[in-house]
């Protein structure tokens, strides 16, 4: 894969799975819709099994782990097959572990000081979270002039309607969102609907 998570697709689906059995059909639907990078969040007990299943059975997917907040999360998810890591925030300890993991990672930031601290550590790609609550497109636009070397994946409160305004910014590589994996569709196994929503999202940069 490309060395940058930000360049895989315009949108990275942020997936919360209660049932690991849904992981493979969901991932196949997202890939078929044009969204190969899939962030499975560590918010449920099924997350590690879901990552393992996608990594083993959906070769065209680039499965990653989200809500990575500890050194143990890093080691467990990489062992499960995660090909990128995403955190809502970062500490020096967590950053060191992600750097040592051997896979691309996006540490989370929401302030200018956090961005500068990451740049000081040689990290130029990051997650901007929670995007809407932390200032949205206006905040990211303001960062682009003094800190042009920083690139972001904004996540948190972004929708199909608001995603294009983020993607138009020069310092945004992709956005994260969950609108293409609605809970009712996943619960019903409506993978055709997920694929349609993924295709809409994938077309945002066409």
């Amino acid at each position: 894969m490309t060395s940058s998570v930000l360049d895989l697709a315009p949108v990275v689906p942020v997936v919360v799975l209660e049932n690991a059995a849904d992981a493979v059909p969901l991932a196949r639907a997202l890939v078929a819709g044009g969204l190969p990078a899939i962030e499975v969040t560590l918010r449920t007990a099924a997350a590690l099994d879901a990552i393992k299943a996608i990594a083993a059975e959906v070769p065209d997917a680039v499965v990653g782990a989200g809500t990575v907040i500890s050194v143990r999360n890093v080691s467990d998810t990489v062992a499960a097959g995660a090909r990128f890591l995403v955190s809502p925030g970062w500490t020096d300890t967590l950053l060191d572990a992600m750097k040592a993991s051997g896979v691309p990672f996006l540490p989370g930031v929401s302030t200018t000081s956090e961005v500068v601290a990451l740049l000081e550590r040689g990290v130029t790609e990051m997650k901007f979270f929670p995007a809407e609550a932390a200032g949205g497109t206006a905040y990211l636009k303001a960062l682009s002039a003094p800190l042009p070397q920083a690139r972001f994946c904004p996540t948190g409160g972004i929708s199909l309607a608001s995603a294009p305004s983020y993607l138009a910014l020069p310092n945004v590589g992709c956005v994260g969102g969950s609108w293409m994996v609605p809970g009712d569709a996943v619960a019903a196994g409506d993978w055709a609907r997920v694929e349609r929503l993924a295709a809409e999202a994938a077309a945002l940069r066409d």
Side-chain angles (χ1 to χ4, degrees):
M1 80 178 215
T2 173
S3 60
S4 173
V5 180
L6 301 184
D7 297 325
L8 289 170
V11 180
V12 176
V14 179
V15 175
V16 180
L17 284 172
E18 300 291 343
N19 186 348
D22 292 329
V24 168
L26 177 66
R28 286 176 176 156
L30 291 170
V31 169
L35 299 181
I38 302 167
E39 176 189 334
V40 177
T41 70
L42 300 183
R43 300 180 199 172
T44 68
L48 280 177
D49 286 338
I51 291 169
K52 287 178 186 175
I54 295 170
E57 299 182 47
V58 192
D60 292 332
V62 181
V63 64
T67 324
V68 173
I69 58 171
S70 70
V71 173
R72 178 69 180 271
N73 287 162
V74 173
S75 57
D76 285 352
T77 54
V78 172
R83 294 171 62 187
F84 65 91
L85 306 172
V86 184
S87 70
W90 66 278
T91 64
D92 285 329
T93 299
L94 181 58
L95 187 65
D96 288 342
M98 290 194 292
K99 277 190 162 190
S101 70
V103 300
F105 58 92
L106 296 173
V109 297
S110 60
T111 69
T112 307
S113 293
E114 290 169 325
V115 175
V116 172
L118 282 178
L119 293 174
E120 194 174 78
R121 295 286 305 270
V123 177
T124 59
E125 298 188 343
M126 26 197 117
K127 171 181 178 174
F128 179 59
F129 177 82
E132 288 287 281
T137 55
Y139 192 95
L140 285 171
K141 186 176 182 179
L143 288 183
S144 64
L147 301 170
Q149 63 272 58
R151 294 180 73 216
F152 301 94
C153 174
T155 305
I158 297 174
S159 65
L160 178 65
S162 63
S165 61
Y166 282 93
L167 292 168
L169 296 173
N171 55 351
V172 169
C174 64
V175 300
S178 56
W179 73 85
M180 75 299 298
V181 285
D184 57 342
V186 175
D190 190 351
W191 310 124
R193 181 181 170 201
V194 171
E195 182 178 342
R196 287 196 303 272
L197 292 170
E200 280 184 337
L204 287 174
R205 252 204 194 125
D206 286 352

